[in-house]
Amino acid sequence: MAHEAQKSIARNSLLMRSLPDQHVDSLLSQAVWCKYERGETLFLQEEKAQAIHVMISGWVKLYRMAPTGAEAVVSVFTRGESFGEAVALRNMPYPVSAEAVSTCEVMHIPSRVLVSLMKEEPEIGISILASAFNHLHSLVAQLEQLKAQTGAQRVAEFLLGLCDAEDGACEVTLPYDKMLIAGRLGMKPESLSRAFSRLKSAGVTVKRNHAEIEDIDTLRDYAESDPAENWSKP
């Protein structure tokens, strides 16, 4: 049985925050709560989707395996985020695999439960659409970064997303290993190392799994500047 703190996180997720309390309570009571250790598989590509997943804590990556055996990281999810909505509701196979990249807790909502509630309360479909749109927006943003930003700018955006302040100095902890960060940003590990070196000029110092940012506004200006300017910098 989940604790109230876990249920509170689930209630505030994008998938559930707009639902009436009675429907949220019904979903929570029928959900399956699981804990995974780093490296554990949640599901594999081509498995039949039978649940929607809500992150309670930790990090999970979604990835695809190319015919060559190379791994392509599609997305990484953390607390309050959900995934698997579209395929679960359509009873389709997963187009990706999911793996815990840290110790994590995940709430699994059986798709049959959600479909049943949607028949009683069609407005639940709006929450599903909002969550699906959020995934689409995230993928479009990733594509834009790949097309319009240098590797160092993508790393700068990633670090800015970890900051808990709007300005001034900040120190952030890298949430998972650098190989996964590189994969998420569409880079090779050696390119990530070069990107960190380039960010020294923007006031960023990386030590193991910590990054010290001298000034958030300076780093933001770097991330938003003309890529041609950054390509020419040493």
Side-chain angles (χ1 to χ4, degrees), residues 44-229:
L44 291 172
Q45 185 175 328
E46 300 305 329
E47 280 185 7
K48 187 177 180 181
Q50 297 181 320
I52 294 169
H53 317 279
V54 180
M55 294 296 301
I56 304 301
S57 66
W59 296 82
V60 164
K61 71 174 179 180
L62 302 187
Y63 66 96
R64 286 179 61 88
M65 297 302 298
T68 59
E71 179 183 291
V73 178
V74 176
S75 193
V76 183
F77 294 94
T78 190
R79 173 174 169 163
E81 298 178 327
S82 60
F83 53 94
E85 296 91 341
V87 288
L89 292 178
R90 296 184 64 191
N91 204 29
M92 295 176 63
Y94 288 112
V96 294
S97 298
E99 179 184 306
V101 295
S102 71
T103 299
C104 63
E105 292 179 280
V106 184
M107 181 184 77
H108 306 285
I109 305 173
S111 51
R112 57 176 175 75
V113 173
L114 198 54
V115 169
S116 178
L117 280 177
M118 288 175 67
K119 291 178 180 178
E120 297 177 15
E121 184 57 68
E123 287 187 6
I124 291 178
I126 297 175
S127 293
I128 301 295
L129 286 173
S131 185
F133 175 79
N134 188 60
H135 297 325
L136 177 61
H137 180 77
S138 177
L139 289 173
V140 170
Q142 288 183 45
L143 181 60
E144 181 182 8
Q145 288 180 342
L146 288 170
K147 295 288 188 179
Q149 291 184 315
T150 66
Q153 284 180 302
R154 298 201 296 275
V155 176
E157 289 273 15
F158 176 76
L159 294 177
L160 288 168
L162 298 174
C163 292
D164 57 6
E166 291 296 321
D167 51 35
C170 182
E171 181 176 337
V172 300
T173 299
L174 303 181
Y176 35 81
D177 64 61
K178 293 177 181 176
M179 184 169 291
L180 178 54
I181 293 174
R184 181 182 180 184
L185 299 178
M187 307 167 66
K188 294 181 179 180
E190 57 269 27
S191 299
L192 179 66
S193 296
R194 289 194 293 270
F196 279 137
S197 295
R198 286 178 177 269
L199 290 180
K200 289 180 181 178
S201 64
V204 175
T205 302
V206 177
K207 298 177 180 177
R208 295 188 178 180
N209 67 331
H210 289 81
E212 297 177 1
I213 301 169
E214 291 182 5
D215 184 70
I216 292 174
D217 286 333
T218 299
L219 185 60
R220 187 178 294 113
D221 288 342
Y222 182 94
E224 296 175 355
S225 62
D226 185 344
E229 297 178 6

Side-chain angles (χ1 to χ4, degrees), residues 1-12 25 28 33 56 79:
M1 176 66 74
H3 297 297
E4 286 305 314
Q6 295 169 306
K7 291 182 179 180
S8 177
I9 294 170
R11 283 190 177 96
N12 288 311
D25 291 338
L28 294 180
W33 306 77
I56 304 301
R79 173 174 169 163

